[in-house]
Amino acid sequence: MRYDAWRSLPEMFFDVTAEGGERPLLWAKRAGAWQGVTRAEAAAQAAALSRFLGAVGIAPGDRVMLVSENRPEWAIADFGIMAAGAITVPAYITNQIGDHRHVMRDSGAKAMILSTAALAERALAAAAGCPDLDTVILIDPPEVSIPADVEVTLWPDLLAADGGGLDDAIERSTAFRRSETACLIYTSGTGGAPKGVVLSHGAILANCQGAHRLLVDLGLGDEVFLSFLPLSHSYEHTAGMMFPISIGAEIYYAEGLDRLAANLVEVRPTIMTAVPRLYETLHGRITRTVAKDGGLKARMFDKAVALGIKRIEAKTPLSPIERLLDRGLDRLVRSKVRGRFGGRLKALVSGGAPLNYDIGMFFSSLGLRLLQGYGQSEAAPIISVNPPDRVRLETVGRPMAGVEVKIAEDGEILVRGESVMTGYWNNEEATREALRDGWLHTGDVGEIDADGYIRITDRKKDIIVNSGGDNVSPQRIEGFLTLQPEIAQAMVYGDRRPHLVALLVPDEEFARSWAAENGCPADPEALAADDAFGAAVGAAVDRVNGGLSPIERVRRFVLRAEPFTIENEQLTPSLKIRRHVITAAHRGELEALFPG
């Protein structure tokens, strides 16, 4: 790979696509069948888009907003925008009109690329209040009314009208400096209005280079990635798109969470990136299936997990009989689990939020290599990852090549390197707070052990300080709560209060089962108010409390029928809870749980 020689992401893209041009690069399922876009086709379309943007007046440094679900055109549009010298501004498809308007106005976007009619409706409504945005490209045929002052071009039309080749686009891509801005990634806003993270071409290329050095020992070759997380999130943007393309991998775009299991079997990915919430969901599905099977299958499965954990943790070596049994269970149990993931995974990578140790050990014990990492959008985004040959799941691994990490006096993790952002767009105050003396202040608290592995203990802003002055990690407690089969989601609350309380969302399958056994209707609202059902959930809380220190125990809780979702704005697109939004909606109920 020519990471050090590449001056820009488009230069990398055109270099890679020039090799084996007829090989597929990007895949999407259409009309029930997987259809591929070749390297040559992707390069030609990106070049055509870059020429079109220049022709309609998009100048170097101008911002172009990209609103689309994961699909081949997303990647092609990103490279086409950058090849024109412009800056890509990805936006989440879950954004409401106000969210889109904030991104448009803050970034000063002059053009926008949209995919479907449903997405266009909200984005165009937001554009009506943004006079600088006067060019819109629609990937799919329009089914909504278009404002009269907005110039609209259809993606197929601009491709059909283009008669150029690749030479001009390639020439422009080699004229960039690595320090020039490639994109503005708007943070998903766990604590307020999203800020535009300014990332250079060099920042993302450096991150890709670090990932390559980390994974090269896996035997990188003809790799296949299954892209599931939103490409507007920095984690998927780099780890799920830029890095795979840099190594010439093929990328398949998953159809959605409800089809993910089927897509895994169809695509048979070799590497997959995801957030802890997805692994928690898959863990729940697998364990529920095993529990339903019962009998010998369940006992064999449990034994495979137990022996796998014992072997990995190596606190006591397996006996000769256990080693023999372990090998047999690998064929009878673990191979079938690996088959559900396609059967050829080299690694699962977890990032975006802390991974519960038990979840990580569960998958590792079943023969799936799971590498926990750590990062932030402000670091392009990967800071550290567990090396494949020396995984320590209780940590987030070692800093990637090219990334320096140190711990401040107050325990905050500080990061330095080419991958660190330039700053926040149009926000000098926030930039000064985050970047000091060349170091990115992450807002995360942690420690580095003697072998260089990083342990995250909590988020500075999320730490609860109770009325006794004790510091408590809400994420740690929430992780234990959501491991219980009765609880799907949890938010712990209690800053400046005498003890902790929680808002809990019951597991849907557990709720249905409990209702059937007790002759009750499986109505979420009714169950949330049912004292007997509350007592059943309370048993799970008691189990968790049994393993916690007194200051960490949840003394009281309230049940909520509606889950936290992206649609109700209580989850970020990367599936992290938005504490400030949930707290604002339930402060009265939570405060009522305290005495007096």
Side-chain angles (χ1 to χ4, degrees):
M1 300 299 110
R2 300 178 56 238
Y3 292 109
D4 290 329
W6 286 324
R7 286 154 288 190
S8 72
L9 293 166
E11 183 180 14
M12 175 271 288
F13 173 73
F14 288 121
D15 254 13
V16 170
T17 53
E19 300 175 4
E22 296 311 308
R23 290 176 56 193
L25 178 68
L26 309 167
W27 293 83
K29 186 172 273 192
R30 289 166 179 159
W34 290 103
Q35 298 181 24
V37 177
T38 68
R39 297 181 180 199
E41 289 169 339
Q45 291 180 28
L49 176 61
S50 71
R51 282 188 287 271
F52 174 83
L53 292 173
V56 297
I58 300 300
D62 284 347
R63 278 74 62 202
V64 179
M65 194 164 161
L66 175 56
V67 188
S68 170
E69 71 284 6
N70 288 13
R71 57 192 288 176
E73 291 87 353
W74 203 111
I76 293 166
D78 193 11
F79 287 108
I81 292 166
M82 291 186 293
I87 297 168
T88 304
V89 183
Y92 290 106
I93 63 173
T94 53
N95 279 358
Q96 300 302 307
I97 293 173
D99 302 316
H100 280 318
R101 186 172 289 125
H102 167 74
V103 173
M104 289 175 192
R105 288 178 173 174
D106 189 68
S107 68
K110 292 188 175 181
M112 178 165 54
I113 299 175
L114 302 164
S115 58
T116 66
L119 297 181
E121 190 169 7
R122 280 175 294 185
L124 290 174
C130 301
D132 290 339
L133 199 158
D134 58 9
T135 299
V136 173
I137 298 168
L138 291 175
I139 295 174
D140 292 340
E143 298 174 12
V144 295
S145 59
I146 307 298
D149 58 343
V150 176
E151 182 180 345
V152 176
T153 301
L154 294 182
W155 179 275
D157 292 346
L158 78 84
L159 296 181
D162 182 75
L166 298 179
D167 291 348
D168 59 329
I170 292 173
E171 183 179 355
R172 282 195 302 273
S173 74
T174 62
F176 290 102
R177 297 186 304 275
R178 284 174 69 101
S179 59
E180 290 185 67
T181 301
C183 60
L184 305 183
I185 299 286
Y186 276 80
T187 59
S188 49
T190 59
K195 299 188 291 288
V197 176
V198 182
L199 294 176
S200 68
H201 293 274
I204 295 174
L205 286 169
N207 227 229
C208 292
Q209 183 173 17
H212 181 267
R213 289 182 181 175
L214 179 90
L215 297 175
V216 69
D217 289 342
L218 292 177
L220 295 178
D222 295 329
E223 305 304 323
V224 174
F225 282 67
L226 179 61
S227 177
F228 169 75
L229 298 173
L231 283 165
S232 44
H233 190 276
S234 60
Y235 179 30
E236 190 69 10
H237 186 245
T238 294
M241 187 181 85
M242 292 298 181
F243 172 63
I245 288 175
S246 77
I247 62 172
E250 296 179 36
I251 303 174
Y252 285 73
Y253 296 107
E255 296 177 90
L257 181 59
D258 59 332
R259 292 285 301 161
L260 185 60
N263 291 163
L264 282 165
V265 175
E266 294 168 341
V267 172
R268 302 180 63 233
T270 59
I271 300 174
M272 184 174 172
T273 59
V275 292
R277 183 59 188 154
L278 177 63
Y279 295 119
E280 291 166 3
T281 300
L282 293 172
H283 167 268
R285 288 180 180 178
I286 293 170
T287 53
R288 282 194 293 269
T289 300
V290 170
K292 284 180 180 177
D293 290 340
L296 179 60
K297 284 186 178 180
R299 291 195 296 273
M300 290 173 62
F301 183 90
D302 291 343
K303 191 64 176 178
V305 171
L307 287 176
I309 291 174
K310 185 176 180 180
R311 173 169 36 79
I312 294 166
E313 292 185 333
K315 293 177 180 177
T316 57
L318 298 183
S319 69
I321 293 176
E322 286 178 326
R323 287 198 298 271
L324 184 62
L325 180 58
D326 191 51
R327 287 195 293 270
L329 290 172
D330 194 65
R331 294 192 300 272
L332 296 172
V333 176
R334 297 191 189 103
S335 64
K336 293 180 180 178
V337 175
R338 291 193 292 266
R340 294 178 65 170
F341 286 80
R344 58 176 182 175
L345 268 173
K346 296 179 180 179
L348 291 166
V349 184
S350 178
L355 176 71
N356 185 283
Y357 177 77
D358 292 338
I359 295 291
M361 286 303 300
F362 174 84
F363 286 104
S364 299
S365 72
L366 293 170
L368 294 164
R369 182 188 280 115
L370 200 158
L371 310 177
Q372 180 177 201
Y374 162 64
Q376 291 189 345
S377 297
E378 290 84 350
I382 308 167
I383 294 170
S384 66
V385 187
N386 268 272
D389 59 337
R390 292 189 63 190
V391 176
R392 296 185 185 176
L393 280 171
E394 71 277 13
T395 77
V396 293
R398 295 167 169 166
M400 287 222 301
V403 177
E404 294 180 72
V405 176
K406 70 177 182 178
I407 306 298
E409 290 184 5
D410 64 354
E412 185 175 8
I413 297 170
L414 309 184
V415 178
R416 184 168 65 180
E418 187 182 12
S419 60
V420 169
M421 69 173 181
T422 306
Y424 293 112
W425 185 261
N426 284 337
N427 197 330
E428 293 184 6
E429 182 180 351
T431 299
R432 285 194 298 269
E433 183 180 347
L435 295 175
R436 291 173 244 165
D437 299 323
W439 290 92
L440 170 66
H441 288 242
T442 65
D444 290 317
V445 176
E447 57 191 21
I448 303 175
D449 68 18
D451 296 316
Y453 285 75
I454 302 169
R455 287 179 173 83
I456 309 294
T457 56
D458 213 326
R459 180 85 181 150
K460 280 180 73 172
K461 293 181 181 179
D462 286 345
I463 289 177
I464 291 173
V465 182
N466 66 20
S467 57
D470 299 303
N471 289 353
V472 182
S473 163
Q475 289 182 340
R476 165 180 152 83
I477 302 165
E478 289 156 359
F480 287 131
L481 288 168
T482 54
L483 274 180
Q484 304 304 308
E486 298 90 339
I487 301 170
Q489 294 172 310
M491 189 196 80
V492 173
Y493 178 87
D495 199 49
R496 298 187 297 276
R497 307 299 290 172
H499 56 76
L500 300 182
V501 298
L503 180 68
L504 305 178
V505 178
D507 179 80
E508 184 178 352
E509 188 165 327
F510 165 74
R512 282 199 303 267
S513 176
W514 187 92
E517 291 173 5
N518 290 273
C520 302
D523 175 63
E525 294 284 352
L527 287 174
D530 188 299
D531 290 341
F533 181 71
V537 177
V541 176
D542 290 341
R543 290 197 300 272
V544 171
N545 282 339
L548 298 175
S549 67
I551 62 170
E552 293 178 306
R553 291 172 189 160
V554 173
R555 303 296 177 88
R556 302 180 71 187
F557 63 88
V558 61
L559 294 180
R560 167 181 155 136
E562 181 190 7
F564 311 141
T565 66
I566 297 171
E567 289 70 27
N568 62 27
E569 301 183 2
Q570 293 177 354
L571 283 185
T572 71
S574 56
L575 305 181
K576 291 182 281 191
I577 61 173
R578 281 186 161 129
R579 295 184 188 278
H580 68 292
V581 176
I582 299 169
T583 298
H586 294 278
R587 191 184 303 276
E589 298 163 78
L590 291 166
E591 286 292 336
L593 297 175
F594 296 106

